[in-house]
Amino acid sequence: MVKKDHTPSTEVSLGPLKLKNPVVTASGTFGYGAEYAKFYDLSRLGGITVKGLSMKPIPGNPPPRICETPSGMLNAIGLQNVGVDEFINKKLPFLAQYDIKVIANIFGNTVEEYEAVAARLDRADGVHALEVNISCPNVKKGGMAFGVDPDSTYEVLKAVRQVTGKPVIAKLSPNVTSVVPFAEKAAEAGVDALSLINTLLGMAIDIRTRKPKLANITGGLSGPAIRPVAIRIIWQVHRAVGLPIIGMGGIMDASDAVEFMLAGATAVAVGTANFVNPTAAADIADGIKNYLGENKIEDINQIIGQVQA
Amino acid sequence: MVKKDHTPSTEVSLGPLKLKNPVVTASGTFGYGAEYAKFYDLSRLGGITVKGLSMKPIPGNPPPRICETPSGMLNAIGLQNVGVDEFINKKLPFLAQYDIKVIANIFGNTVEEYEAVAARLDRADGVHALEVNISCPNVKKGGMAFGVDPDSTYEVLKAVRQVTGKPVIAKLSPNVTSVVPFAEKAAEAGVDALSLINTLLGMAIDIRTRKPKLANITGGLSGPAIRPVAIRIIWQVHRAVGLPIIGMGGIMDASDAVEFMLAGATAVAVGTANFVNPTAAADIADGIKNYLGENKIEDINQIIGQVQA
Amino acid sequence: MLTTVKSNEKVVPGFFEMEIEAKGLAKHAGPGQFFMLKVAFGTDPLLRRPLSIHRITSPDSLRFLYRESGRGTSILSKLVPGDQLDALGPLGNGFKVGKTVKHALIVGGGIGVAPLLCLTDHIAKERPDITPVVFIGGRDKDSVMCLDQFKELGIETHIRTEDGSIHKKGLITHSLEEYIDKYKKDGTGGWAIFSCGPTPMLRSVAAIANMNDIKCFTSLEAHMACGIGACLGCVIPLLDREHETQVYRKVCEDGPVFDSEEVLW
Amino acid sequence: MLTTVKSNEKVVPGFFEMEIEAKGLAKHAGPGQFFMLKVAFGTDPLLRRPLSIHRITSPDSLRFLYRESGRGTSILSKLVPGDQLDALGPLGNGFKVGKTVKHALIVGGGIGVAPLLCLTDHIAKERPDITPVVFIGGRDKDSVMCLDQFKELGIETHIRTEDGSIHKKGLITHSLEEYIDKYKKDGTGGWAIFSCGPTPMLRSVAAIANMNDIKCFTSLEAHMACGIGACLGCVIPLLDREHETQVYRKVCEDGPVFDSEEVLW
Ligand SMILES: Cc1cc2nc3c(=O)[nH]c(=O)nc-3n(C[C@H](O)[C@H](O)[C@H](O)COP(=O)(O)OP(=O)(O)OC[C@H]3O[C@@H](n4cnc5c(N)ncnc54)[C@H](O)[C@@H]3O)c2cc1C
Ligand SMILES: Cc1cc2nc3c(=O)[nH]c(=O)nc-3n(C[C@H](O)[C@H](O)[C@H](O)COP(=O)(O)OP(=O)(O)OC[C@H]3O[C@@H](n4cnc5c(N)ncnc54)[C@H](O)[C@@H]3O)c2cc1C
Ligand SMILES: Cc1cc2nc3c(=O)[nH]c(=O)nc-3n(C[C@H](O)[C@H](O)[C@H](O)COP(=O)(O)O)c2cc1C
Ligand SMILES: Cc1cc2nc3c(=O)[nH]c(=O)nc-3n(C[C@H](O)[C@H](O)[C@H](O)COP(=O)(O)O)c2cc1C
Ligand code: FES
Ligand code: FES
């Protein structure tokens, strides 16, 4: 039993990375933070994950880049980003004013590129962890290519691990027969946590023009539509592998977030929901606190993986 | 140019299996046909695929077996069925009165079981084709196990192929990194067509009880939510492999059906939509005819795989 | 079929009564049957929602009594007269009042009363020889409903609330037992119990019926996709008397009303 | 923010005008800016729909003029006064009427007229020194809208329909050219064109402006997820003048109004 006035503890640990609350934003859905700072104090979040960074700026895919699907959306942004240097010089300083953890999402076309971006960010104050994206379905080379072969998964993660002392999070591809062997490889490579799930590879066609709705033809499916797949993968990986998990995939409200944590996620990332409701991530952080209070749960860590299955 | 009165041709061929129109029902969503015969004349359809059949009757999974998800549903029926003999003796005769093709969906726990059911159905008049389900996510042994290993896929399909002269359709698992190699194995085994896609493996948790919403814990995700994944897989397989495809996965109306055919499907199967609207499959068959008329397309085969990608 | 909402009003906080209309809608409808309602035009929520027939007001119109318990019923509660509603039904096997039935005990808990008013209407019309006795239980005063309607029908009604906020405090099953003990001396032959409500209540009603060997018919719930027997999603385990084994039966098609002796509680 | 629908009426078949209200809603709103509207509470349709500000009726209320062109707008068209609507905005960079502008040519095609009335309202209020001339084109008589409103503002308005069903038959861009040819002899210095409509029209308006070296600002569309610059989903390729290269710019944040010289038509 908890006294009415007692506020429950919401701090969680992704290995060495401590978050004051379990809610972060999903990479690519929150810009570099500034866009949402107009809507609320970012310090309400546990952390933010910035748009995927590469060594050099990348223009991204031609439009159209997005389309709506039933309870979801497809995107093929093509990892457009300002490049790691511009990020460090122009975007990162703005985030220093907030009491949040900054997770830099990185990718490359070769192991060396991953290594280089990681090394660069390792020297950047204000970057608290690196999330290695080896699961982007929207770039020809690299990205997903690494994510669907266990050995290259190991190779990339090992390389990143060796060039940084900061917490390393592996964002694995859900577009595989089983994520478990990849999670095991990631553990072997010495990462501190996993991010699950990235988007499912999808496609939509405009029957009037007979053209794909995305210029890139295929894209990544996100939003509530994929939530059951995300819950299943997180549950499977949590049972099989010891690493803490950042759960994501269609989280729209605090109840969804709790569902992910019961399935085995230590933290949750809010993605597409930010587009539908700019204050979604902060609302979810508050909602989780209320949930703990109403259910007299003293410490959020008490619900992680607690599904009765 | 087509004259106003001219009615477009809707006949399609899945190898030796001719359908007077491209709309069939998806296995497990249409019972054995009788349930829907109360709502419309089944002869409006190109064909129906019956609930998965095994040698002996199977009671199926304990309840709860279904739950709703955003724009979709999870099911873990566990392949409950009356067994192949009862089907042939009690259910099949009813279907003889209709001008439709009857596709018998089969499964087993061993290659021998698949073989036995196929041999039994090969002798049954009124069964026009066999759909081999090697992708059911809801049974421990068999089912999906075969569907995620290319060699067992080949083995099962080859065995079925050898015991029947009737058209054989392979229903492959979408829960793999790439369906293409499995489609190639199926072609090698000599099947006549492919069914894509079966359900995606998913899970949902009731946060009040902390129990999975399905007694089976995980289940198969169907409905509009998975449509972009289905379109992508069908497009990929159609480009890579010569076999005709029965496309399915979230088809709710005629526009969706046309989208599947543009992606590369020769026929379409209507599943979850039957639950939402009992006349969905027949409405879609009519809707496709209207679409062809309005767009002055003389023959439906002219749109198969015509996406400009 | 597409129906028109005639009325949709809050009866007590959280509970609504809706009347819908369409040609021939209720022509073949009976007590204990249900409709599957499509509450939204988009694909979320996707599935239809089952609601029991609360009252048949004409061959072309009927009423539902429902609790706002989630997304679908809350969308439903916002419909206004004139709105269209896609309703599939009547579905399922409802309450059958057999010829041998001479005395009917009707037991409802909470929202479980919804189909029971339809049953008393039916008995009043088709079986004037029977004088039903109604037992209504609920958590608090808001969850014992339809009392006036039963009174209008001149039916003897026993009421209990768990918190005693109104009427006698206690479980309705106790009042059922009291009644049976009081009158069973002349034998319970031809007695039948018809019940609907929360599972714990139905379970003890079944036990009481069994002890006093009274036939008992109970309306059950299960999550449904199709409502017409096609998806096999709504099954519950029943006792197969001949083979003395467990069999799965469809709540939507074989039920929702079952002989409580067959239910594996 | 959560707003209340004040009115929502069909103006011509397929086109609706809606007024919404909320404290401070339009306080910082300007012509050419837009709002992202959440049309449904469920998750389908999932994304917000962008609509331009048609008219600012008070600091707390504004109007949209929209075409029913799909699921979202058709849901929108069914809203009735009193309904709640979640509206995010004002968003984007709208039409700026620079100090150097002495003469404004305002060109709209079809539903493209929506943001232009807001622009003329703005000019009437903020730049009485300018006498704008409006050019409205459309397929048929139903698709040339707001004529009365422009008349009320006493604005010279040129109208063309492609089918000639009403007003002069032809393309509005021809009428724009005629006008320019007629008056340009005294030079086009300080002239500016503001346009919104279908891409082919915008393209030729841009060409005409360019030939007559008149500054031209055009409002563009793109499918949007966030509307606030976060998703990078709405980009269009623009000409980066300094580096003479192509760059992707966000319609939602850098636009929707762009200098037509920078647009890679
Ligand atoms: C045969 C039958 C008759 C019924 N009659 C009535 C009635 O007359 N009045 C009434 O208030 N309720 C009745 N119910 C229960 C009613 O169907 C549920 O309350 C309703 O489906 C909840 O939907 P929701 O979207 O509001 O809740 P949600 O929890 O959002 O629904 C999510 C999913 O779970 C299903 N679900 C949730 N609760 C139930 C339940 N108790 N039974 C079946 N499915 C459920 C929904 O149908 C939906 O598919 C009946 C159920 C059955 C099976
Ligand atoms: C900045 C801006 C201002 C706009 N102002 C107006 C206006 O004042 N009046 C008006 O009638 N229309 C306007 N539009 C177009 C309007 O946004 C679309 O008509 C609307 O989004 C269609 O949604 P739907 O659900 O009805 O159609 P659907 O085709 O069902 O929509 C499916 C998806 O495509 C998107 N989409 C479809 N057409 C367009 C389009 N033309 N532009 C952007 N996204 C689209 C939808 O937003 C949705 O995400 C504007 C668009 C933009 C970008
Ligand atoms: C528009 C968009 C852009 C994204 N960009 C990235 C990215 O750059 N790097 C990455 O690892 N994931 C990216 N993602 C994936 C999300 O981080 C997240 O894994 C996925 O969207 C599932 O979560 P959601 O359903 O809550 O959006 C992107 C997703 C979207 C919708
Ligand atoms: C309740 C249910 C039962 C199913 N049973 C079977 C089955 O027995 N055999 C099979 O091959 N597929 C089965 N399926 C999968 C469907 O045939 C279909 O592949 C899938 O549902 C995707 O189509 P949909 O989204 O239109 O439903 C079942 C699906 C559902 C929803
Ligand atoms: S709900 Fe589909 S069989 Fe009962
Ligand atoms: S719509 Fe998201 S960046 Fe413009």
PDB file of all heavy atoms in Angstrom, chain B residues 214-228:
ATOM      1  N   LEU B 214      -5.194 -13.075 -25.786  1.00  0.00           N
ATOM      2  CA  LEU B 214      -5.489 -14.394 -26.352  1.00  0.00           C
ATOM      3  C   LEU B 214      -4.937 -15.469 -25.421  1.00  0.00           C
ATOM      4  O   LEU B 214      -3.816 -15.348 -24.921  1.00  0.00           O
ATOM      5  CB  LEU B 214      -4.843 -14.549 -27.729  1.00  0.00           C
ATOM      6  CG  LEU B 214      -5.239 -13.559 -28.813  1.00  0.00           C
ATOM      7  CD1 LEU B 214      -4.465 -13.847 -30.088  1.00  0.00           C
ATOM      8  CD2 LEU B 214      -6.737 -13.588 -29.064  1.00  0.00           C
ATOM      9  N   ALA B 215      -5.727 -16.538 -25.217  1.00  0.00           N
ATOM     10  CA  ALA B 215      -5.252 -17.635 -24.368  1.00  0.00           C
ATOM     11  C   ALA B 215      -3.975 -18.246 -24.957  1.00  0.00           C
ATOM     12  O   ALA B 215      -3.103 -18.714 -24.224  1.00  0.00           O
ATOM     13  CB  ALA B 215      -6.330 -18.711 -24.240  1.00  0.00           C
ATOM     14  N   ASN B 216      -3.859 -18.204 -26.268  1.00  0.00           N
ATOM     15  CA  ASN B 216      -2.689 -18.754 -26.949  1.00  0.00           C
ATOM     16  C   ASN B 216      -1.480 -17.820 -26.857  1.00  0.00           C
ATOM     17  O   ASN B 216      -0.426 -18.095 -27.435  1.00  0.00           O
ATOM     18  CB  ASN B 216      -3.039 -19.011 -28.425  1.00  0.00           C
ATOM     19  CG  ASN B 216      -1.968 -19.777 -29.165  1.00  0.00           C
ATOM     20  OD1 ASN B 216      -1.593 -20.868 -28.761  1.00  0.00           O
ATOM     21  ND2 ASN B 216      -1.437 -19.168 -30.231  1.00  0.00           N
ATOM     22  N   ILE B 217      -1.648 -16.690 -26.153  1.00  0.00           N
ATOM     23  CA  ILE B 217      -0.634 -15.642 -25.994  1.00  0.00           C
ATOM     24  C   ILE B 217      -0.437 -14.859 -27.293  1.00  0.00           C
ATOM     25  O   ILE B 217      -0.761 -13.679 -27.350  1.00  0.00           O
ATOM     26  CB  ILE B 217       0.719 -16.185 -25.504  1.00  0.00           C
ATOM     27  CG1 ILE B 217       0.533 -16.908 -24.154  1.00  0.00           C
ATOM     28  CG2 ILE B 217       1.719 -15.033 -25.325  1.00  0.00           C
ATOM     29  CD1 ILE B 217       1.799 -17.512 -23.585  1.00  0.00           C
ATOM     30  N   THR B 218       0.088 -15.509 -28.336  1.00  0.00           N
ATOM     31  CA  THR B 218       0.250 -14.802 -29.609  1.00  0.00           C
ATOM     32  C   THR B 218      -0.846 -15.246 -30.583  1.00  0.00           C
ATOM     33  O   THR B 218      -1.486 -16.278 -30.382  1.00  0.00           O
ATOM     34  CB  THR B 218       1.624 -15.101 -30.251  1.00  0.00           C
ATOM     35  OG1 THR B 218       1.722 -16.505 -30.472  1.00  0.00           O
ATOM     36  CG2 THR B 218       2.758 -14.636 -29.349  1.00  0.00           C
ATOM     37  N   GLY B 219      -1.021 -14.469 -31.627  1.00  0.00           N
ATOM     38  CA  GLY B 219      -2.045 -14.794 -32.617  1.00  0.00           C
ATOM     39  C   GLY B 219      -1.698 -14.178 -33.959  1.00  0.00           C
ATOM     40  O   GLY B 219      -0.657 -13.544 -34.116  1.00  0.00           O
ATOM     41  N   GLY B 220      -2.585 -14.372 -34.913  1.00  0.00           N
ATOM     42  CA  GLY B 220      -2.342 -13.875 -36.266  1.00  0.00           C
ATOM     43  C   GLY B 220      -3.057 -12.559 -36.494  1.00  0.00           C
ATOM     44  O   GLY B 220      -4.259 -12.448 -36.268  1.00  0.00           O
ATOM     45  N   LEU B 221      -2.317 -11.566 -36.947  1.00  0.00           N
ATOM     46  CA  LEU B 221      -2.879 -10.234 -37.205  1.00  0.00           C
ATOM     47  C   LEU B 221      -3.428 -10.173 -38.631  1.00  0.00           C
ATOM     48  O   LEU B 221      -2.709 -10.470 -39.592  1.00  0.00           O
ATOM     49  CB  LEU B 221      -1.805  -9.162 -37.012  1.00  0.00           C
ATOM     50  CG  LEU B 221      -2.234  -7.706 -37.209  1.00  0.00           C
ATOM     51  CD1 LEU B 221      -3.304  -7.292 -36.192  1.00  0.00           C
ATOM     52  CD2 LEU B 221      -1.027  -6.769 -37.130  1.00  0.00           C
ATOM     53  N   SER B 222      -4.695  -9.798 -38.759  1.00  0.00           N
ATOM     54  CA  SER B 222      -5.336  -9.669 -40.067  1.00  0.00           C
ATOM     55  C   SER B 222      -6.083  -8.355 -40.137  1.00  0.00           C
ATOM     56  O   SER B 222      -6.173  -7.635 -39.158  1.00  0.00           O
ATOM     57  CB  SER B 222      -6.315 -10.830 -40.279  1.00  0.00           C
ATOM     58  OG  SER B 222      -7.380 -10.733 -39.344  1.00  0.00           O
ATOM     59  N   GLY B 223      -6.606  -8.068 -41.319  1.00  0.00           N
ATOM     60  CA  GLY B 223      -7.398  -6.856 -41.495  1.00  0.00           C
ATOM     61  C   GLY B 223      -6.611  -5.744 -42.162  1.00  0.00           C
ATOM     62  O   GLY B 223      -5.435  -5.911 -42.494  1.00  0.00           O
ATOM     63  N   PRO B 224      -7.273  -4.586 -42.377  1.00  0.00           N
ATOM     64  CA  PRO B 224      -6.669  -3.472 -43.123  1.00  0.00           C
ATOM     65  C   PRO B 224      -5.294  -3.052 -42.617  1.00  0.00           C
ATOM     66  O   PRO B 224      -4.459  -2.581 -43.400  1.00  0.00           O
ATOM     67  CB  PRO B 224      -7.664  -2.328 -42.924  1.00  0.00           C
ATOM     68  CG  PRO B 224      -8.939  -2.955 -42.558  1.00  0.00           C
ATOM     69  CD  PRO B 224      -8.654  -4.294 -41.951  1.00  0.00           C
ATOM     70  N   ALA B 225      -5.054  -3.252 -41.321  1.00  0.00           N
ATOM     71  CA  ALA B 225      -3.763  -2.858 -40.740  1.00  0.00           C
ATOM     72  C   ALA B 225      -2.586  -3.468 -41.499  1.00  0.00           C
ATOM     73  O   ALA B 225      -1.541  -2.838 -41.643  1.00  0.00           O
ATOM     74  CB  ALA B 225      -3.701  -3.258 -39.261  1.00  0.00           C
ATOM     75  N   ILE B 226      -2.753  -4.690 -42.005  1.00  0.00           N
ATOM     76  CA  ILE B 226      -1.610  -5.387 -42.632  1.00  0.00           C
ATOM     77  C   ILE B 226      -1.558  -5.205 -44.149  1.00  0.00           C
ATOM     78  O   ILE B 226      -0.658  -5.714 -44.817  1.00  0.00           O
ATOM     79  CB  ILE B 226      -1.610  -6.891 -42.308  1.00  0.00           C
ATOM     80  CG1 ILE B 226      -2.770  -7.622 -43.002  1.00  0.00           C
ATOM     81  CG2 ILE B 226      -1.655  -7.133 -40.811  1.00  0.00           C
ATOM     82  CD1 ILE B 226      -2.679  -9.157 -42.902  1.00  0.00           C
ATOM     83  N   ARG B 227      -2.511  -4.457 -44.701  1.00  0.00           N
ATOM     84  CA  ARG B 227      -2.582  -4.327 -46.158  1.00  0.00           C
ATOM     85  C   ARG B 227      -1.280  -3.825 -46.798  1.00  0.00           C
ATOM     86  O   ARG B 227      -0.818  -4.423 -47.793  1.00  0.00           O
ATOM     87  CB  ARG B 227      -3.738  -3.422 -46.560  1.00  0.00           C
ATOM     88  CG  ARG B 227      -4.080  -3.500 -48.065  1.00  0.00           C
ATOM     89  CD  ARG B 227      -5.074  -2.433 -48.456  1.00  0.00           C
ATOM     90  NE  ARG B 227      -6.254  -2.474 -47.643  1.00  0.00           N
ATOM     91  CZ  ARG B 227      -6.916  -1.386 -47.210  1.00  0.00           C
ATOM     92  NH1 ARG B 227      -6.487  -0.182 -47.526  1.00  0.00           N
ATOM     93  NH2 ARG B 227      -7.987  -1.513 -46.468  1.00  0.00           N
ATOM     94  N   PRO B 228      -0.631  -2.798 -46.220  1.00  0.00           N
ATOM     95  CA  PRO B 228       0.607  -2.325 -46.872  1.00  0.00           C
ATOM     96  C   PRO B 228       1.695  -3.398 -46.907  1.00  0.00           C
ATOM     97  O   PRO B 228       2.474  -3.457 -47.857  1.00  0.00           O
ATOM     98  CB  PRO B 228       1.029  -1.136 -46.002  1.00  0.00           C
ATOM     99  CG  PRO B 228      -0.227  -0.677 -45.327  1.00  0.00           C
ATOM    100  CD  PRO B 228      -1.018  -1.928 -45.077  1.00  0.00           C
TER     101      PRO B 228
END
